[in-house]
Structure formats: C-alpha cells, structure tokens
Amino acid sequence: MKRGMVLEGGAMRGLYTAGVLDVLMKNDIQVDGYIGVSAGVTFGCNYKSRQPERAIRYTLKYLRDRRFSGLWTLLSTGDIFGADFCYHEIPEKLDPFDFEAFHSNPVELHTVATDATTGKPVYYRFHDGRGNELEWMRASASMPLVSHAVKVDGYTLFDGGVSDSIPVEYFMSIGYERNIVVLTRPRGYRKKEGSYNPLLSFMLKKYPAMLTAIKERPASYNRQLERLEELEREGKVLIIAPSRDVHVKRVDKNRDRVQAIYELGVSDTERLLDDIRAFLS
C-alpha cells in the first residue's frame, strides 16, 4: 500500500503547509509520494530535498523585497510573484535549494497545472528539480490575470488549482491508497459561487476553455471538499487544516500574519502527530 500526501495551494496561505511539512520532517515521518498544487509544490518541494524551515526563512527575508511579489513586480514583469527572482535567484543563489538531495530522495513529487487551451489538468512527476522542472513549479502557481502563462514541454499552462485544486482522486488513481491531505482553509470553508472577475474575459480571450474552467471552479472546488470529507469518513484520508482563520492574503506583505500562518501549521501538526503515525502505519 502506497502512502501519499496531497498539498493544496493558496499562495501565501501555503506557508501553513510549510509548517506542516517541517514538523513531519523533524519527526522523520515520510510518505512514498506526494502531489503539490501551486504553493503546495513551490513550498512543498523542500520536503523532498529535506530542508526544514527553508520556506519560511526565505519568505520572511524577502517578503518586502519588491522583486519577490507585489504590484511593482506585476507591473514590471507581468507576474505578481517575480519569476526570475523566485524561481532562479532564490533557489540557485540566495537560499540554495539542495538539488542533489531532491534527486537522490526516492519519495515521488508530482504537481498539476491547467492546460490553457483545454482547461483540463496536466500532471507531472519531478525527477531532479532542474531546468524545465522549475518551470513546471512556476506553471502550477501561475494565477490567471496576475501571471503570464508558462510554456513548457509543448504545453501552455496556468495555475493547477483552477482545474484540480485538491487532486486526491488523481493520486488514488495512480496507486496512493492512503493520503494525508493538507488544506489551507479551515474546515467548513466553501468557495462562494459567482466569484469571477470579468476582466479575465479580456485577458484570457485566446483561451475560452480556460475561462470556462475558472467560472466552474467554485462548484468544482466545493464538490472536491465534499468528496474529501466522504473519503475521511471511509478512513482513506487524514485531513490537516488550519484550526483557525489567520486571514492571510494570497499576496501578503505582513510579516506577523505570514509568521502566524506558518506557526499554526506547526502547532496543528504537532497536536496530530500520534494520529498521523497511526494513519500511515
């Protein structure tokens, strides 16, 4: 039986997931493979490279650096999270990512992005984390309207959360029978219907299928949450979700809120350690 993890996205809310993973690493709790969506993969990659606290360290250090994220980054590069700074400067120079450890660790890491031409999910398994693989991470986290589409391996891609926000069904389909699912919203959260920005129709006029996927996302996401709760009752998943709402924005420059969501991930997971060990065994 293969044991896995499914890591939801949520931009800066993904630091909750970073806190969860840091506790798992420090307690030597391992799975056979995991899949990260958007921030779930950009922060979650450190679990495979075995680098606890790296995500919160570089985030707090560069949070207010205009090259990292924000309006200046969006207006000057077209991406609200600076593509070159976040996916090259930081991992290659400023806070080095351990590519060798990532490659040598047998734990599988997968991600999902959304095909702009079809509006459907595209799944990818990582190998060494270099080259085009960094582009797959960026693609999974490229939010429509505030990010360029990412072209890689013949695809034109946007945020994986649009087409498969919580890919537990996919992970089960490739053999992961028991999965820890890390959410970045508290239990009981549901996405409001009709939360659609009409500016997207202009920005994505070349990609009508992508627009359809965005419009359908609230209903699709809420169905995934209901299915997840059903799987939890069946004993097939264990859900880790924020025990309270820290109100972190998708792009947040407030160090206190960012630190708080990370520490909540740590404390929630520490309380669940016995349950996690029992579930995985």
Side-chain angles (χ1 to χ4, degrees):
M1 180 178 67
K2 292 169 72 175
R3 305 167 304 162
M5 283 195 300
V6 177
L7 312 178
E8 186 186 17
M12 296 303 284
R13 295 196 312 272
L15 284 164
Y16 177 83
T17 302
V20 172
L21 297 180
D22 283 354
V23 173
L24 298 185
M25 279 189 274
K26 291 175 182 179
N27 285 273
D28 197 29
I29 295 175
Q30 300 184 46
V31 293
D32 301 301
Y34 62 117
I35 183 167
V37 185
S38 191
V41 70
T42 57
F43 291 135
C45 61
N46 297 291
Y47 178 81
K48 182 169 166 62
S49 65
R50 309 304 291 175
Q51 291 177 278
E53 299 183 1
R54 178 175 175 270
I56 188 62
R57 180 176 64 240
Y58 74 68
T59 299
L60 289 176
K61 184 172 183 179
Y62 298 109
L63 185 64
R64 295 178 180 171
D65 189 313
R66 66 180 187 173
R67 296 171 296 173
F68 185 73
S69 66
L71 184 60
W72 183 89
T73 309
L74 177 63
L75 294 176
S76 61
T77 71
D79 292 293
I80 201 158
F81 286 92
D84 185 64
F85 188 70
C86 293
Y87 295 94
H88 294 285
E89 284 288 312
I90 290 176
E92 293 170 2
K93 300 175 183 177
L94 301 176
D95 196 324
F97 183 71
D98 194 335
F99 290 97
E100 293 303 321
F102 182 93
H103 178 61
S104 63
N105 188 340
V107 172
E108 293 183 6
L109 172 58
H110 302 246
T111 194
V112 58
T114 302
D115 189 326
T117 60
T118 67
K120 302 297 183 184
V122 180
Y123 303 95
Y124 181 82
R125 179 185 169 186
F126 292 91
H127 299 284
D128 62 7
R130 298 182 185 276
N132 277 358
E133 298 209 322
L134 287 172
E135 291 300 284
W136 276 97
M137 289 188 191
R138 185 164 75 91
S140 185
S142 290
M143 299 178 286
L145 192 61
V146 292
S147 305
H148 288 299
V150 176
K151 295 187 177 182
V152 59
D153 294 340
Y155 293 101
T156 300
L157 302 168
F158 281 108
D159 192 333
V162 172
S163 56
D164 197 353
S165 299
I166 312 168
V168 66
E169 295 280 10
Y170 169 74
F171 227 42
M172 292 172 65
S173 77
I174 62 170
Y176 288 88
E177 299 175 48
R178 295 175 71 81
N179 292 285
I180 295 171
V181 179
V182 183
L183 303 179
T184 58
R185 297 277 197 183
R187 285 177 179 269
Y189 171 82
R190 292 293 186 270
K191 190 171 288 293
K192 293 181 180 178
E193 298 287 344
S195 54
Y196 173 79
N197 188 332
L199 186 58
L200 284 165
S201 297
F202 173 76
M203 298 295 290
L204 298 177
K205 57 187 176 182
K206 294 194 299 182
Y207 305 115
M210 188 72 194
L211 282 169
T212 299
I214 292 170
K215 290 177 181 178
E216 294 177 349
R217 191 192 174 205
S220 173
Y221 179 75
N222 293 340
R223 285 195 300 270
Q224 285 189 311
L225 289 174
E226 290 165 7
R227 174 59 175 153
L228 196 61
E229 291 166 358
E230 180 182 323
L231 291 170
E232 184 181 43
R233 289 191 295 270
E234 295 172 359
K236 295 178 181 177
V237 306
L238 184 150
I239 299 173
I240 302 176
S243 55
R244 60 186 177 88
D245 195 342
V246 181
H247 302 291
V248 172
K249 302 173 185 176
R250 295 182 71 83
V251 181
D252 204 318
K253 296 287 189 178
N254 186 291
R255 290 175 61 91
D256 291 339
R257 283 196 297 266
V258 166
Q259 182 76 51
I261 192 69
Y262 171 80
E263 290 179 356
L264 186 63
V266 170
S267 60
D268 284 352
T269 309
E270 287 176 339
R271 281 199 308 273
L272 288 170
L273 278 173
D274 288 343
D275 291 342
I276 293 168
R277 290 190 178 102
F279 177 78
L280 293 177
S281 66

